[in-house]
């Protein structure tokens, strides 16, 4: 004889969406778990009935779990004296089927918890068929195109009135440096017309001759130089530039064209910016280095000076102040500045996020450094890097200059070498180095910002040793009288200078960095990405076709994401940076988020990436949406944020270098990235060969290939780059470089040409080229660069006491950049390595092409450089760990007092403490110094800081990597501050250590009641958190008391129409529902709904959530019609508000499918599951836990319909997804293992079932402990299969323990307790202990009856059936018949007459009459059952055929 049971579906271990914030805004939701549907008797002679369905709890906004409870069915065996020949015991099968989801975040307690928030309205494109008997709109979910079909680019009017419809970035070609309005008269879509380029060259040259005689692809070159413009390979005459007067006239003409309607506003602004730039550079002779991206037949070498750069003084917040003076007579002054003034200013402005560095190249300068003939070059270059901060001190000495008689050969050589880069100094060959510095900064261009803000100080009563110094002072005084300089003062001594200079410099800094403008963490991260973007936009070689392709794609509203692909170093990031600058300029009202993965340490982390994007959306659109704190919750909430942006003014999200995402948290699986973008959201991505690209390929997103440079393009660029550097390669050398395939990668070519630019020997140049070209990859080329730098920069002996520098100066500098978490500020680098500025500046200048400043922190320009540094310097034993120890020692020493001063997780950290907490534990972890990491994070002040939102992800990782939970618990439990206890409790709750969390909440509660009982807000917050973890631990009785008290307080504190009050009411309803107190839960759910209707009206997402919750509650009670009505309303609202592809809609569809499954309307559940699955796969991909959730229920449907092979395949697909995405020890994995065991039990594969039940049991023991209801359910499942195997004595203690756990955790009046009573009674019935069964069945009936309140209840019907079996075995025939009939009546009242459970009850009664010898009466019942089965399942179903066979028996 075989017995089939229904088991639970979901394991309740939920994680709060608001981890760390249990205040009034905490958004709890419900996660329902599956419980078993009742099944009726199955005859041993009959084929097994279709298996019941197993469900996992579906996702909601925050969900606890729905405790699944198995309902054993009664036994129908023959009576002891006359056993009926074909009776089987009616038992609920152990299969879990999905329980409805409710409004609460599902928080699994596993290491990677699954939280269940909502996501955005993803466009759903697969048409749906009609849903049988479901009042859903019969519409295809396919986004229609506009009536015009494909979108048409808005017509733009050029200066001559010609429209163009093809959006091309070529407008830069037309507008850049055009000498007259004639350039506007050509349609911009002429970018592909070579004749147009020729015409443009004529226009720019002002003649009629062709400008391209080379045969090479025509090139338009626009760089920041007053004289160098190229068309083809010909220099354009300088007359092509407009004079300042012509520019003013052109600006007036532009305004007239705009007013007359011939120009659109964006064209006017672009052209205006170009003209202003021309005017600026009419006085400049500097030529920036070219940052090559890519080049082809139609190319623009485009200066980005007109682009709206994002970095500025305020954005960069990295201030370098150049101090110019003579050396020998300024010792006291320099001592005062460097040891007193700047340390105080550094501390003051560090609080504002400003990194302040004093650049003093005379301090500690050595003869070795002077003899290298680089002094002037380095000094003037450093002034440029320090602009606009320049301080000069003048006494009586003139400085290093040519003597009146004779020639200083070293100075002459130094001067001549500097003149190569700064040709203006040739006019001042007899002047001192100090005067050259002053002229370069202040006197050459007195209209410059540096000159206007210069600080000049002269010592009183100083006797000038040289008439040239006297003339210089007079020139400075005359300039000051004309309005130059911020200050020109005199001082008596160093003390007066300290006061005066400090006040003047503070005024400048206060103007640039007001106290109220301290950047937030979000702003600092944004600035770092903007700095990365700017570093790729100095001068860019652009291909118009790339810009056109990307812009055209984005203009089509139905196009999906686009992925820029290509090998590393080919120019993907450079292209996207330059495109983004233009796109932002042209779309100022649209949110454009540029996230360059690898640009900062945080940018490679999935959690911090998602946090930043969601924060940007909140900030730009002034939303107040709560951002989750767990990775899983973020992934689920992320689409919702995208949808919010999309339905406003839109969002363009640029994610560069997806392949550089850390693989942690499954980031490279891209499950977090919606497959279909919400309306109004456009995704622009880049990637190279990686797991990410494999996923993208499967998703069939459009790709855009960036190609290497052609040989012709390389030839042009080689010539131009070297010409800008004032050098030239021979044709043979050019051919050698251009013919090398690796030079097709712009990064390789740029690096090679930069090395050739600084190489000094022309005779050895060809050999040097061959040596560099021996490098076949970019990292190999960087390795050769490092080798050259190591030879060029050798520190003199005893120049530093840093042993790491002694091992390798270049290695120490680059290694610190490599190992530091977010880079190092220049001042930090100098202090760590104990270097003077004089040693540092020459190297810093040499590394200029390889390092970028991101929010003031030095970082590598490209990831290839990081790879090369790691490879080269890992050869030095323990070198990187030595550098990490250097950094931890530096920060522990420098920031010790600031770190120790943290008193609360809400304290605002000083910038110094912020840096220390970012770096120190990171380096302990990276170097595997586990003990130091554990000691660091467990110090109370450190824990408080790291438990704050900014470091919460890091702290969780640190605790797990060093097993630090116990250390933190021990360190914090002796403290008495409420804030400490609440912080600790919140952290352990997020860690999944609910027992420890509850302990700290209890201590916080005692303290709150004792220390400040009047602070009801704090008390309510503590109660909220305590009730939450009690619920997660399955302590529902305690949780109900706690949350009732919390709600009582909040009713006093909050207004009745406060949304957070509705949330608290909803939280308490969840607990009552778990306790089976459905009436109280219903009252609270309706109360929350009433508040939400009053606040939001009838059409709001929170209202939809309430309907969803009520639908789930009614399903629990078997009130399927009311459940259907509420869920249909939730579906209607969610589709209306969120769109047809939103995950919240999928949730409600899924829940309605579960109702139909419970209702045995299997065919109607299928399209609902299909649609939910379609949405989830579109939003999250095919390997997401939500997909597994739906699949699990779909397997259950197949099992119910008797399709066991199909069910098994789907279950194992579900198991694979859950193990891959959640880990092998996750509660949801236990759920699927349980369901597989149920399936095997259905097929009498009991030995296999035991294996899976035991695996599920062990997972639950590890996750929730042995006192949790979910563990009890697993015990019950295992007990049931032992019962099926006849191993009664092994099953008995498991059933008894199940009952004890349920009573303790849930109270006496709970459906799970009733279910456990029925299960234990069924076992004892099989063991022949009949008298012990009666009180158990009576207890179960009492519980079900009290909970149902007189309403029909399927659980009661099931128990009545089992009770009837007992009476039959006891030969109490009258009582047996009466009870069978009561069960049939209850089933019919619950489900109506057309239901499988009613059929089974009919068959049971038929068998009863067969056993009593009344075959005629038995046939009536068998016939009714057969006809009903035929209507439900069809004529050929196993159940139908079996019932027919009974009628003829």
């Amino acid at each position: 004889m075989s017995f089939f049971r229904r088991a639970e579906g979901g394991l309740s271990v939920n994680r709060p969406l608001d981890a760390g914030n249990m205040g009034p805004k905490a958004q709890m939701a419900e996660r329902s778990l599956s419980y078993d549907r009742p099944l009726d008797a199955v005859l041993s002679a009959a084929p097994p009935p279709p298996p019941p369905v197993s469900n996992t709890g579906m996702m909601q906004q925050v969900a606890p779990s729905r405790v699944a409870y198995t309902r054993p069915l009664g036994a129908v065996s023959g009576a002891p004296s006359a056993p009926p020949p074909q009776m089987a015991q009616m038992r609920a099968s152990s299969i879990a089927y999905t329980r409805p989801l409710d409004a609460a975040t599902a928080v699994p307690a596993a290491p990677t918890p699954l939280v269940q928030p909502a996501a955005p309205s993803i466009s759903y494109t697969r048409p749906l068929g009609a849903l049988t008997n479901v009042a859903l709109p019969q519409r295809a979910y396919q986004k229609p195109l506009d009536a015009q079909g494909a979108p048409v680019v808005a017509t733009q009017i050029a200066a001559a009135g010609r429209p163009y419809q093809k959006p091309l970035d070529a407008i830069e070609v037309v507008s850049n440096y055009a000498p007259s309005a004639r350039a506007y008269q050509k349609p911009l879509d002429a970018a592909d017309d070579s004749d147009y380029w020729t015409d443009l060259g004529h226009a720019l040259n002002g003649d009629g001759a062709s400008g391209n005689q080379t045969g090479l692809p025509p090139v338009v070159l626009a760089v920041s130089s007053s004289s160098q413009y190229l068309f083809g390979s010909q220099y354009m005459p300088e007359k092509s530039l407009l004079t300042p007067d012509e520019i003013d006239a052109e600006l007036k003409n532009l305004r007239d064209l705009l007013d007359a309607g011939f120009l659109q506003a964006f064209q006017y602004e672009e052209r205006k910016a170009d003209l202003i730039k021309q005017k600026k550079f009419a006085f400049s002779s500097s030529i920036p280095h070219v940052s090559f991206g890519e080049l082809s037949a139609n190319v623009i070498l485009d200066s980005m000076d007109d682009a709206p750069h994002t970095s500025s003084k305020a954005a960069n917040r990295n201030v370098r102040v150049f101090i110019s003076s003579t050396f020998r007579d300024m010792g006291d002054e320099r001592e005062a500045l460097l040891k007193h003034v700047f340390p105080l200013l550094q501390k003051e402005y560090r609080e504002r996020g400003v990194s302040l560095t004093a650049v003093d190249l005379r301090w500690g300068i050595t003869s070795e450094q002077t003899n290298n003939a680089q002094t002037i070059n380095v000094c003037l270059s450093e002034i440029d890097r320090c602009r606009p901060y320049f301080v000069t001190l003048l006494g009586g000495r003139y400085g290093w200059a040519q003597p009146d008689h004779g020639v200083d050969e070293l100075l002459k050589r130094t001067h001549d070498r500097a003149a190569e880069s700064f040709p203006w100094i040739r006019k001042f060959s007899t002047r001192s180095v100090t005067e050259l510095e002053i002229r370069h900064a202040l006197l050459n261009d007195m209209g410059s910002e540096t000159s206007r803000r210069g600080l000049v100080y002269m010592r009183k009563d100083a006797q000038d040793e040289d008439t040239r110094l006297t003339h210089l002072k007079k020139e400075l005084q005359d300039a000051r009288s004309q309005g130059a300089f911020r200050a020109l003062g005199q001082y008596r001594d160093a003390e007066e200078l300290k006061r005066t200079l400090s006040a003047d410099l503070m005024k400048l800094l206060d103007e640039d960095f007001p106290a109220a403008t301290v950047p937030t963490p979000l702003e600092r991260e944004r600035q770092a990405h903007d700095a990365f973007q700017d570093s790729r936009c100095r001068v860019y070689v652009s291909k118009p076709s790339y810009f056109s392709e990307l812009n055209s794609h984005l203009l089509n509203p139905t196009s999906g994401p686009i992925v820029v692909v290509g090998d590393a170093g080919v120019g993907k990031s450079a292209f996207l940076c330059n495109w983004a600058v233009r796109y932002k300029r042209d779309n100022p009202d649209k949110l454009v988020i540029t996230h360059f993965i690898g640009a900062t340490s945080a940018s490679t982390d999935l959690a911090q990436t998602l946090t930043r994007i969601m924060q940007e959306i909140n900030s730009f659109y002034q939303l107040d949406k709560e951002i989750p704190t767990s990775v899983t919750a973020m992934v689920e909430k992320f689409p919702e944020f995208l949808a919010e942006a999309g339905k406003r003014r839109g969002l363009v999200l640029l994610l560069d270098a997806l392949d550089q995402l850390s693989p942690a948290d499954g980031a490279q699986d891209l499950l977090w990235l919606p497959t279909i973008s919400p309306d109004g959201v456009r995704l622009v991505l880049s990637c190279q060969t990686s797991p990410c690209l494999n996923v993208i390929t499967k998703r069939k997103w459009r790709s855009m290939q960036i190609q290497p440079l052609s040989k012709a393009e390389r030839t042009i660029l080689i010539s131009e780059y070297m010409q800008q550097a004032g050098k030239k390669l021979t044709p043979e050398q050019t051919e050698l470089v251009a013919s090398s395939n690796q030079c097709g990668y712009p990064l390789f070519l740029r690096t090679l040409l930069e090395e050739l630019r600084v190489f000094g020997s022309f005779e050895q140049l060809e050999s040097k080229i061959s040596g560099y070209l021996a490098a076949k990859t970019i990292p190999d080329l960087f390795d050769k660069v490092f080798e050259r730098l190591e030879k060029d920069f050798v520190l003199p002996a005893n120049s530093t006491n840093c042993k790491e520098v002694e091992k390798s100066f270049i290695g120490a500098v680059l290694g610190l950049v490599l190992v530091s978490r977010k880079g190092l500020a220049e001042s930090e680098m100098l202090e760590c390595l104990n270097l003077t500025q004089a040693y540092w500046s020459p190297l810093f200048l040499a590394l200029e092409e390889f390092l970028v400043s991101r929010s003031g922190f030095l970082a590598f320009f490209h990831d290839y450089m990081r790879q090369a540094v790691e490879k080269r310097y890992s050869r030095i034993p323990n070198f990187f760990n030595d550098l990490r120890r250097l950094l931890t020692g530096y920060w522990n020493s420098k920031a010790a007092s600031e770190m120790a001063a943290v008193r609360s997780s809400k304290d605002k950290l000083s910038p110094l403490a912020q840096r220390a907490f970012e770096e120190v534990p990171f380096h302990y972890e990276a170097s595997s110094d586990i003990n130091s990491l554990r000691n660091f994070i467990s110090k109370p002040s450190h824990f408080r800081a790291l438990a704050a939102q900014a470091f919460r992800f890091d702290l969780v990782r640190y605790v797990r990597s060093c097993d630090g939970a116990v250390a933190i618990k021990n360190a914090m439990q002796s403290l008495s501050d409420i804030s400490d206890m609440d912080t600790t409790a919140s952290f352990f709750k997020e860690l999944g250590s609910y027992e420890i969390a509850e302990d700290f909440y209890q201590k916080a509660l005692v303290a709150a009641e004792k220390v400040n009982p009047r602070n009801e807000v704090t008390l309510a917050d503590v109660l909220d958190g305590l009730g939450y973890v009690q619920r997660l631990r399955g302590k529902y009785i305690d949780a109900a008391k706690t949350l009732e008290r919390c709600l009582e307080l909040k009713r006093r504190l909050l207004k009745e129409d406060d949304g957070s009050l509705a949330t608290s009411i909803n939280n308490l309803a969840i607990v009552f529902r778990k306790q089976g107190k459905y009436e109280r839960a219903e009252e609270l759910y309706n109360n929350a709904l009433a508040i939400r209707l009053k606040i939001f009206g009838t059409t709001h997402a929170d209202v939809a959530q309430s309907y969803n919750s009520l639908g789930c509650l009614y399903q629990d009670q078997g009130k399927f019609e009311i459940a259907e009505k509420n869920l249909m309303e939730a579906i209607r609202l969610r589709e209306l508000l969120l769109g047809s592809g939103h995950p919240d809609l999928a949730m409600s569809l899924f829940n309605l499918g579960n109702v139909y499954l419970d209702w045995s309307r299997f065919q109607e559940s299928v399209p609902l599951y299909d649609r939910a699955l379609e949405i989830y796969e579109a939003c999250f991909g095919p390997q997401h836990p939500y997909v597994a959730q739906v699949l699990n229920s779909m397997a259950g449907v197949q099992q119910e319909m008797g399709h066991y092979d199909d069910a098994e395949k789907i279950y194992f697909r579900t198991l694979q997804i859950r193990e891959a995405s959640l880990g092998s020890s996750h509660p949801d994995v236990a759920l699927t293992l349980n369901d597989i065991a149920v399936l095997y039990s259905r097929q009498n594969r009991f030995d296999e079932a035991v294996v899976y039940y035991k695996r599920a049991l062990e997972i639950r023991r590890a996750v929730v402990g042995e006192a949790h209801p979910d563990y009890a359910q697993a015990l019950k499942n295992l007990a049931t299969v032992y019962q099926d195997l006849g191993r009664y004595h092994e099953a008995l203690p498991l059933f008894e323990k199940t009952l004890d756990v349920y009573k303790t955790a849930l109270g006496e009046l709970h459906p799970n307790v009733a279910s456990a009573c029925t299960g234990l009674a069924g076992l004892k019935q099989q063991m022949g202990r009949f008298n012990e069964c009666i009180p158990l069945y009576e207890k179960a009936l009492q519980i079900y009856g009290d909970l149902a309140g007189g309403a029909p209840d399927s659980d009661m019907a099931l128990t009545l059936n089992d009770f009837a079996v007992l009476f039959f075995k006891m030969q109490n025939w009258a009582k047996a018949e009466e009870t069978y009939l009561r069960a049939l009546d209850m089933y019919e009242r619950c489900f109506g007459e057309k239901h499988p459970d009613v059929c089974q009850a009919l068959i049971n009664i038929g068998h009863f009459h067969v056993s009593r010898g009344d075959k005629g009466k038995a046939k009536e019942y068998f016939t009714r059952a057969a006809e009903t089965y035929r209507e439900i399942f069809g004529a050929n179903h196993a159940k139908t055929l079996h019932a027919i066979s009974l009628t003829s028996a």
Side-chain angles (χ1 to χ4, degrees), residues 1067-1109:
N1067 294 340
L1068 182 57
I1070 295 169
V1071 177
F1072 284 143
R1073 182 179 159 207
K1074 286 185 166 296
Q1075 289 182 287
K1077 297 180 179 180
Y1078 298 130
E1079 288 185 5
R1080 298 198 64 184
E1082 183 178 1
E1083 177 186 353
L1084 290 171
Y1085 277 139
N1086 280 317
N1087 191 350
L1089 173 60
I1091 292 174
R1092 288 168 171 168
L1093 287 170
K1094 183 177 180 181
I1095 298 171
F1096 306 120
T1098 58
T1099 308
H1100 191 273
D1102 285 1
V1103 174
Q1105 182 198 43
S1106 285
Y1107 285 122
N1108 190 78
S1109 299

Side-chain angles (χ1 to χ4, degrees), residues 998 1002 1005 1019-1020 1022-1031 1035-1049 1068 1071:
E998 183 180 3
Q1002 292 283 11
L1005 178 60
L1019 186 58
V1022 172
L1023 289 168
D1024 207 355
L1026 176 60
Y1028 198 83
V1029 295
Q1030 286 172 333
R1031 172 162 64 85
K1035 300 170 70 172
Y1036 300 126
I1037 297 173
D1038 294 339
K1041 293 177 181 177
T1042 303
L1043 292 175
E1044 281 183 307
R1045 186 180 173 194
C1046 175
L1047 182 58
E1048 181 182 347
L1049 279 174
L1068 182 57
V1071 177

Side-chain angles (χ1 to χ4, degrees), residues 927-955:
S927 58
S928 300
D929 189 350
I930 300 304
N931 290 331
S932 295
L933 176 60
R934 187 185 301 115
N935 293 336
F936 184 88
I937 65 175
S938 61
K939 289 182 179 179
S941 60
H942 296 180
F943 172 75
R944 294 181 192 115
L946 293 170
Q949 184 65 40
F951 298 109
R952 180 63 66 92
F953 301 117
D954 295 335
L955 181 58

Side-chain angles (χ1 to χ4, degrees), residues 544-598:
S545 61
Y546 288 161
F547 287 79
S548 174
E549 182 177 353
L550 182 50
N551 287 333
S552 297
H553 177 84
L554 294 182
L555 284 170
N556 182 353
T558 63
S559 59
I562 185 169
V563 188
V564 176
V565 296
D567 296 336
V570 80
K572 299 185 298 296
S573 295
F575 161 63
L576 287 173
C577 287
N578 283 270
W579 171 83
V581 168
R582 291 164 169 78
Y583 191 86
K584 290 178 184 178
R585 177 188 61 200
D586 297 340
N587 299 273
D589 294 333
K590 182 173 289 188
L591 173 58
V592 181
I593 300 175
T594 51
H595 190 81
F596 301 100
I597 299 166

